[in-house]
Amino acid sequence: MNTAVMDGGVRRSQTRRAYDELKRRILDNELPPGTQALEQQAAEWLGMSRTPVREALIRLAQEGMVEVRPRHGMRVLPIAIADLRDIYDLLAGLEATAVDIIARRGLQPQENAELDRLLADMTEALALDDRTVWAEGDARFHRRLVEMSGNQRLIVMVETIREQSHRARMATLQLRPKPTTSNDDHAAVVAALRRRDAEAATRLIRTHRLRAARLLIDLLEHHGLNHL
């Protein structure tokens, strides 16, 4: 194989690894809003050269997660409340479309079993008061609901939007009340799907998402996390 082609492949692989790892740290608030770092410092975090890190930062800047400043490196951008409202409005509508599709065609036996497992996992996490495990289960529940719709365009749209809300959810995870209401909402949505009650399922998931948005925004504003 041509050496230049091989080098290009390695470079793309390194850039992708830098992008994935920096993005994960930002979304999980390991690099909270306001964090600043020079390219060299970010490269040292990742154990790689500056070039793939620079390219990864440019991509993250295009996605609105960081600001890249010449000779000053990067700064993780704050969480924008206005953006969060838009994101949850979209999530509420798109997930309502997904559950409407599921309710009208009916759940398959394996889907019923999987939803039972997901509900049980979240219940167990709350019993142990493990917010991190609960949040992971909550994300899986919402992701699988959309995937069960079978609408590939819808799946891609929701995943892109949901990713943008993840950082705010993780920032407020330990600040919010114990999310028993969320678990109750999930169980109610599943019950409506099993009845094939599309109207109830769409109303419940929409209400659930909009209630979550209000809680999230109130917590961010109260604790000043949107101004970090």
Side-chain angles (χ1 to χ4, degrees), residues 3-214:
T3 302
V5 172
M6 291 179 64
D7 289 346
V10 169
R11 178 176 168 180
R12 284 192 296 274
S13 175
Q14 290 288 297
T15 298
R16 179 71 197 192
R17 187 165 74 84
Y19 167 81
D20 287 343
E21 180 59 19
L22 287 171
K23 185 173 186 177
R24 182 195 66 77
R25 294 187 187 194
I26 292 169
L27 291 176
D28 288 345
N29 281 290
E30 291 178 25
L31 297 175
T35 298
Q36 299 186 60
L38 296 172
E39 276 182 12
Q40 184 59 40
Q41 183 179 2
E44 289 170 1
W45 292 340
L46 304 180
M48 59 177 62
S49 67
R50 290 173 59 180
T51 299
V53 170
R54 181 183 306 118
E55 293 173 352
L57 289 174
I58 289 170
R59 183 172 171 186
L60 290 167
Q62 291 169 344
E63 295 178 7
M65 291 191 181
V66 303
E67 175 188 21
V68 177
R69 297 178 293 175
R71 297 182 299 282
H72 291 86
M74 68 91 176
R75 179 176 70 91
V76 179
L77 291 174
I79 299 165
I81 295 297
D83 288 347
L84 205 55
R85 288 192 179 97
D86 291 346
I87 287 165
Y88 271 89
D89 282 345
L90 286 170
L91 273 180
L94 292 171
E95 289 190 355
T97 298
V99 298
D100 179 73
I101 293 170
I102 298 167
R104 293 183 187 281
R105 59 101 164 139
L107 285 167
Q108 302 301 310
Q110 68 273 17
E111 293 172 338
N112 264 306
E114 183 177 2
L115 289 172
D116 276 339
R117 286 195 300 273
L118 290 169
L119 292 175
D121 288 346
M122 286 182 283
T123 298
E124 182 180 356
L126 278 196
L128 298 172
D129 200 24
D130 192 327
R131 301 291 182 90
T132 301
V133 172
W134 176 85
E136 292 168 353
D138 176 72
R140 282 196 301 273
F141 175 82
H142 284 278
R143 184 179 299 112
R144 286 299 293 136
L145 272 186
V146 175
E147 290 172 349
M148 286 176 186
S149 74
N151 186 314
Q152 294 303 312
R153 292 179 184 273
L154 183 63
I155 292 166
V156 171
M157 290 172 66
V158 171
E159 193 58 31
T160 300
I161 295 166
R162 183 163 42 227
E163 192 175 68
Q164 296 174 38
S165 71
H166 181 77
R167 185 160 55 128
R169 292 177 67 247
M170 295 307 292
T172 58
L173 186 59
Q174 303 302 327
L175 302 174
R176 63 176 293 170
K178 194 171 184 178
T180 51
T181 300
S182 285
N183 276 11
D184 293 341
D185 289 350
H186 296 155
V189 170
V190 172
L193 291 175
R194 287 174 174 157
R195 297 194 307 270
R196 300 188 67 167
D197 188 340
E199 182 179 351
T202 55
R203 183 184 71 253
L204 287 164
I205 198 72
R206 187 185 294 273
T207 300
H208 169 67
R209 275 307 198 185
L210 295 179
R211 183 190 300 122
R214 285 195 298 273

